[in-house]
Amino acid sequence: MKLFGREFVEGAFIEKKDGYEILWKVMKIDFGWKIYWKIKGFFSGLEILKINTGTFEIFPFFVLSKDMLIGLLSPTSEKVEIVKENNEISFILRSEDDSNNCLESSLIIINIENKKLLLERYKEWIIKENKIDSVKEIRISAEDYELFLNKDEINTKLENKVIIINDYIEEIEKKSINKLKERKNKIFAKTKNYLESLEVLDGYIIEGTIEENYIFHNLKYLLLLNCEDTFEYYWKHLFKNVVFENDPNFVERIINVNAFEKFWKFEYINNSKERILLEISWNEKQIKMEKIPFINIEKNSVLKDDGRIFNFYGGETK
């Protein structure tokens, strides 16, 4: 693993290049490392980190293997691309313009041999770094929101509405978004990178992978508009926390989650108070669903001849 072209070691470093200067720190944390950097000056492209490909999966803002996660921690003004070339993965920093910059950002490296725990630990650090208060489920009625099918339909004169734009936030002019926010509207849209849109959007239209939505569930509002197939429909319903009126398929509470090498298992309660076990195989695009009966456990008490009370529990499945 290399950091700014050097061997990865703990400590603080400064390096001057032609036209810019890099300061970076490598700090030990529980289960891994945090890396902070600050860059002054102009550059066109800069390699932050390079690793061997190994078994890493690549996502827009992090990479994940069975025992390691490397991910960015906060939205930044610069653009970070994760690039795979031959047998190596690089985090490349792109400057947005040709003016002098003073850019600051950070990433985290986590080592845990459990995919679910890697994602949960990463989520904790995103919360900490961005000072996020977890959001709760919201229910909205027809008069609460305005739906636009694309960016060309947006009405910037609306006030105090949930604005749902079925288009990518990256394609919408910043001045249009600013006008909507000035009028106290909440903005929902699709995004190509959840982390980069963290400061811009109040909520997302679900478009990412299971891993991305597992991280951002309850950090931002997630909304499901439509699905192309049954597989997509079922797994996306797990995460959404915005409910339209009379929605019969809402997942009220996820009870348990297990992430395996080739599939996920979710146990949850649906809107009909049924307990469901859902197995999702992402690569094969397959879903297995099973209803689990509730056990009706009732407390019964018997008074013994000697005055002691004997408690026992029993009942039937529902």
Side-chain angles (χ1 to χ4, degrees), residues 1 29 42 63 83 85 92 111 119 132 152 156 190 197 199 203 223 243 249 263 274 276 296:
M1 184 183 298
I29 59 171
F42 168 71
V63 297
V83 178
E85 188 172 347
I92 306 292
N111 295 106
L119 294 170
I132 296 172
D152 299 322
T156 56
K190 297 177 183 177
S197 302
E199 293 178 339
L223 173 70
V243 189
N249 297 304
F263 62 94
E274 296 173 309
I276 308 293
N296 179 25

Side-chain angles (χ1 to χ4, degrees), residues 18-36:
D18 185 18
Y20 62 94
E21 179 182 89
I22 313 169
L23 178 151
W24 73 93
K25 295 179 183 178
V26 180
M27 297 160 279
K28 189 77 177 73
I29 59 171
D30 290 342
F31 306 106
W33 305 88
K34 182 182 177 185
I35 298 146
Y36 160 84

Side-chain angles (χ1 to χ4, degrees), residues 68-179:
M68 181 182 287
L69 184 149
I70 305 174
L72 297 161
L73 282 177
S74 59
T76 55
S77 57
E78 71 268 22
K79 173 73 174 176
V80 178
E81 293 180 61
I82 301 176
V83 178
K84 180 180 178 182
E85 188 172 347
N86 299 322
N87 295 319
E88 294 178 316
I89 294 172
S90 297
F91 285 68
I92 306 292
L93 189 64
R94 309 286 186 195
S95 177
E96 288 195 334
D97 53 50
D98 58 1
S99 62
N100 284 340
N101 295 297
C102 183
L103 305 175
E104 298 181 58
S105 196
S106 55
L107 60 77
I108 195 167
I109 300 172
I110 309 169
N111 295 106
I112 304 174
E113 290 191 24
N114 184 300
K115 185 177 184 180
K116 173 175 170 280
L117 292 179
L118 283 169
L119 294 170
E120 288 175 354
R121 187 66 175 159
Y122 184 35
K123 179 175 184 170
E124 289 170 8
W125 272 97
I126 291 174
I127 291 170
K128 181 178 179 180
E129 196 79 358
N130 297 282
K131 299 179 175 62
I132 296 172
D133 294 323
S134 294
V135 300
K136 305 297 182 183
E137 166 203 327
I138 57 169
R139 297 179 182 262
I140 57 177
S141 57
E143 61 269 16
D144 294 327
Y145 72 94
E146 293 286 339
L147 172 64
F148 300 107
L149 297 179
N150 57 62
K151 61 182 182 294
D152 299 322
E153 294 182 0
I154 299 172
N155 177 3
T156 56
K157 295 181 180 179
L158 292 169
E159 294 184 359
N160 292 303
K161 290 280 188 180
V162 175
I163 307 295
I164 302 168
I165 307 165
N166 195 19
D167 211 336
Y168 289 97
I169 191 67
E170 291 85 356
E171 309 299 326
I172 303 169
E173 288 186 2
K174 289 182 180 178
K175 64 181 182 181
S176 296
I177 297 300
N178 290 337
K179 283 182 180 178

Side-chain angles (χ1 to χ4, degrees), residues 232-249:
E232 191 178 21
Y233 173 85
Y234 278 113
W235 82 256
K236 286 185 176 180
H237 262 289
L238 287 167
F239 299 108
K240 70 191 188 82
N241 51 7
V242 178
V243 189
F244 292 108
E245 285 182 330
N246 305 317
D247 184 351
N249 297 304

Side-chain angles (χ1 to χ4, degrees), residues 42-85:
F42 168 71
F43 58 91
S44 57
L46 183 62
E47 183 181 85
I48 304 167
L49 186 82
K50 179 180 281 187
I51 55 172
N52 291 328
T53 304
T55 57
F56 282 103
E57 297 176 78
I58 300 177
F59 301 88
F61 51 96
F62 67 98
V63 297
L64 178 67
S65 72
K66 64 179 181 179
D67 58 3
M68 181 182 287
L69 184 149
I70 305 174
L72 297 161
L73 282 177
S74 59
T76 55
S77 57
E78 71 268 22
K79 173 73 174 176
V80 178
E81 293 180 61
I82 301 176
V83 178
K84 180 180 178 182
E85 188 172 347

Side-chain angles (χ1 to χ4, degrees), residues 57-62 119 168 170 189-195 197 201 203-217 221-227 229 231-240 264 266 280 282 285:
E57 297 176 78
I58 300 177
F59 301 88
F61 51 96
F62 67 98
L119 294 170
Y168 289 97
E170 291 85 356
K190 297 177 183 177
T191 182
K192 296 172 184 175
N193 187 324
Y194 285 76
L195 189 66
S197 302
L201 293 172
Y204 305 109
I205 295 173
I206 296 176
E207 280 288 298
T209 61
I210 289 178
E211 289 81 359
E212 290 171 307
N213 284 287
Y214 188 78
I215 291 169
F216 279 86
H217 178 58
Y221 291 113
L222 301 184
L223 173 70
L224 178 64
L225 277 187
N226 46 48
C227 291
D229 53 39
F231 172 81
E232 191 178 21
Y233 173 85
Y234 278 113
W235 82 256
K236 286 185 176 180
H237 262 289
L238 287 167
F239 299 108
K240 70 191 188 82
W264 288 75
F266 291 87
I280 303 170
W282 183 259
K285 307 294 184 194

